[in-house]
Each structure stands twice: as structure tokens, then as C-alpha cells.
Amino acid sequence: MVQPRKALRTTTTGAVSAALVAGVAFAAAPATAAAPSGTDPGAVPSAQAAESAGVRFVDITGDGGTVLKANVVTPAGADGTRRFPVIVLPTSWAMPQVEYLAQARKLAAAGYVVVSYNSRGFWQSGGHIEVAGPPDVADASKVIDWALANTPADPDRVGMAGVSYGAGISLLAAGHDKRVKAVVAMSGWADLIDSIYSGRTQHLQATAMLGVTGHLTGRPSPELQQTLKDFLSSNLDKEQEMIAWGAKRSPAFTLEQINANGAAIMLGNAWGDTIFPPNQYASFYEKLKGPKRLELIPGDHATAEAAGLLGLPNDTWTNAHRWFDRHLKGADNGIDREQPVQLRSRTGGGYEGYPDWKSVAAGERRIALDGTKDITANIDSGANGGVIMLSSALDQFLKLPPVASIPLLPRSVAAVWQSERYDAAQRVRGTAKLHTTVTATKESGTLVAYLYDVGPLGLGKLVSTAPYTFHGKTPGRPFAVDLELYSTAYDVPAGHRLALVVDTVDPLYIEHNPSGARLTFSSPPSDPSYVSVPLREK
């Protein structure tokens, strides 16, 4: 049995601290903007300004009698003689109830009743943080009940939407409440396990940020506190319990009910989401049976739709409105005739439409991982995935992804393979896959794979990455590793090459390499090692 991991390194702790500062600042930004009344009509209003603008602040009794703080916006001129479609908006993790007021006003102006509420355990709402557990799902139904009883909401035209935490709750509610006819889930998760424990590896910075912001803005439940403690301390004795805890909170495990209820579901996410990577959303999308749409664009967690929360022009929110107009109002606005999978490359260009996720990568190019490479664990080679909430945002706005000098990476701690130089641009689309054979000197270990776009001077720009952890292996006995890197869209210029780098330490993750461990990567003739790179048709 594997013992809990040793204390984290100082360098890792420092990186997490920086991430937490950035994350808290990002989470607080809309709330800060909501404080002054301001004169910008697109800005999020304060509570006092909102009251004067026709926003009503109410208390809603949630599951078990828990009081949920909420606000309601109704269409102008609503006099009780007709009913309107209703949109329910659960707030994001750590966000106050004014988060969606700018969008609520826009929706109300378009003829919707909008009820936004603070998720239980956060800010002034009662209860404890349950991480989209059964009480949160029951709360969503209670809010719908309240809206139907206290507003001119139409029971046959109910929609839900949200960013991040609100997205997850909305998807789960669609599987438990047949009244939900349409959902827009932005920067959310379908599989909580695959989001923060992919490759059997704890996503340290993401989990730590959620834990810290939860403590700062709410009241974590005892169950959540224990789960976080077990997770971050690598208590493998509790691994199956934690997986079951995550499954209960994952829409992917409620898929049968979601499909049976038939809600029209639009999913939006960013390629560089460092909390909920896009792979799990794309996999979930493929399994949905009802009307559906998937949008993936450059950015990090919630940056794709952040401008819309401030009332600024935003593609994701514009399409969210179109989605509701089509599926709650019956408007013939053409959104259902567009290609349902819409992507934008991280390196620039407009939207690309595809009939389904499988069509995104029409071809593939394999890079052979020849030879045998032996590396020492526990040492950061300099290749890494960046910093949560910062690196992917820099990539989104400045086209500055994490970089590494490939020729200077120490081969004693990093295994490196490179392709030939490409005569034409390589349009990477979808999910790269690593297959290799590993021999370890210890029974446990962690490796992290990175795919780089390498220019003529050897500077590598990160295309994709993913971690992989193993336990219970026999030292000295080879075993196969199959690892999906995070899905992406990236154009490698002509004259560049691709490089695969594998090392054992990344500040984004908890690593499980015992002191003195070594990893050997080989390519047996009977089972050659390779990385498969998905490519768009020319």
C-alpha cells in the first residue's frame, strides 16, 4: 500500500500561492465591479442601483429549509396577463448573487423572467458548500418552484444556465428535473474526477484554489473539508470513496437521465481551462442525445465568457441568448442549422464548424518515440504547464503560452523526441495521444507529457500537456502507458517541428515519485511507442 506523499516542495508551494492570489483576484473582480453604482449602462449594478433598475432581491427557501439569497428580473410591462420563459442562474463558485445581473437585465429586456441565486454555503445564502451535491440539485428545483409560484414564469419554458459551478449544477438539474428544457453550461464540468484527478493525478493548483476561495467566501461542509484533506494529502486508502464522491457530482454519471429528459444543451469551454480541461466536456457532448452545441475557444477558466458578465459584447453569451430563444421561444434564428461544434484556434483565425467532435480531427500524424531514454525523477526539467488562471489567459490575449528551450532541457531529467521540420502548417485539432512503455525503479511514480511547437531557434511553445500517475507496479517490469493530452486547436507554422517532452515534476500537480526513482522509456518492436497528433483536413 502506498503511503501518503511527502510534504510539497517549497517551489511548488510558491507557485500555488501565486495562483491563489490570481484566482481570488479574478473571482472577486465582478463583485468589486458591482459595488459602485457607476454610469456605464453595461456595468454590473450594485444592489441599491439594481433595486432602482427593477431588480427584486428575495429570499428563496431551498432544500431542507435553507435560505437562498436571490434576485429576480422580470420583463418590463409584465402585468400578470401572460407568462414568459424563465431562466434560472445558480452562481459560480465563490461569487456573490449579483454575478449575472448584467446578463439578467439583457435577458429580461428580451422577454425572459430571470432568477439568479447564490448557491448554498456561499456568501449570505445558508447551509454549507456541498460541491454540487444532492442538496444543490434539489435547490435548483426549489428555485424553479418558487419562480413558477411568484413570477409570471411559464412552467413549460424553463431554462438554466451558469458559469463554472453554476454550469455543473445546471447540467445536474437537467437530469433530475424534467421541467428544465434548455441549458447553457459555460466553463463547467461533466466529469469532476476527470477534471481534477485526470491520469490518477491530483491537480494541485486547481484544487487548492477552489479550497481557499471556498473558505474565504463560504462555509465548506464537513464532508468537503475531509475530502479535500484526503485528496491533497494523497490518502490512497480513501481513493475509491473520493471517486464515488466525485461521481455523485458529475453530470457524466447522470447522462442516462439527462438524455431521457431531453433538454437542449449548449456547452462552452476554453482550450486552456486549468480547472476543467476540455476533454471531459467533449466526451460528454458526444454522448448527449438531444439538441446540443459545443463551443471551444482560447482562454482559461471562465475567461471566455467573463466580458459578458460585465455586460460587454461576448460571443458565448450572445449564442447563449440565441440558444434560449430557439429552444424556449421557438425562434427560427438559425442556430440549430449551424454546425453544432464550433471551434477557434489558439493561434488565431475565425470560427470553424464541424458536424460532431469526431470530425474535428480528420487525420493524424504519428511521431515515433524511438530509442530508450532514462530519466531521474523528482527534478523539474523546466518544462511545465504554467500557472493556473494566468498562463492560458496570457495565451488567449497575448498569444504567449508557456515556453521552454528544447535544446537546453537537461536530458538527465527530461525525455525528448522531435519530429522532422514540417514543410506546411500543421493544424492540430482535437486530442493528442501518447503510447509508450515505461519501466520504473519504484512501485509508484508520476510523469507529465508536453507537446511543444518548436521554432527554428529551439524555443518550444506549449501545445498541450497532461499528467499520469501509477501505483502498485513491480519495479523493473515494463508496463504500457496510454495517455490523452488535453484537447486543443493550435496551428504549427511551416518550418517548425513538434517535440514531445516527458518529465516528472510540474507545479500544477501533486507528484508521486519516491526519492531516487528513475523512469525508463522504451519502444519495443512488438509495441512501438508514439505520440498521435490529430490534424484538421487541409
Side-chain angles (χ1 to χ4, degrees), residues 33 37 59 66 131 138 156 181 199 208 211 218 229 233 245 281 283 311 320 328 353 357 396 433 463 512 517 536:
S37 59
D59 290 349
T66 298
V131 195
D156 296 322
K181 297 298 190 293
K229 180 180 178 181
S233 66
W245 179 88
Y281 244 21
S283 175
L328 296 183
W357 176 249
Q396 175 185 4
K433 299 176 182 179
V463 177
H512 296 259
R536 180 189 173 192

Side-chain angles (χ1 to χ4, degrees), residues 8 202-204 207-208 227-234 510:
L8 299 175
Q202 296 98 324
H203 292 212
L204 172 62
T207 309
T227 300
L228 282 173
K229 180 180 178 181
D230 292 337
F231 187 80
L232 293 173
S233 66
S234 303
I510 291 178

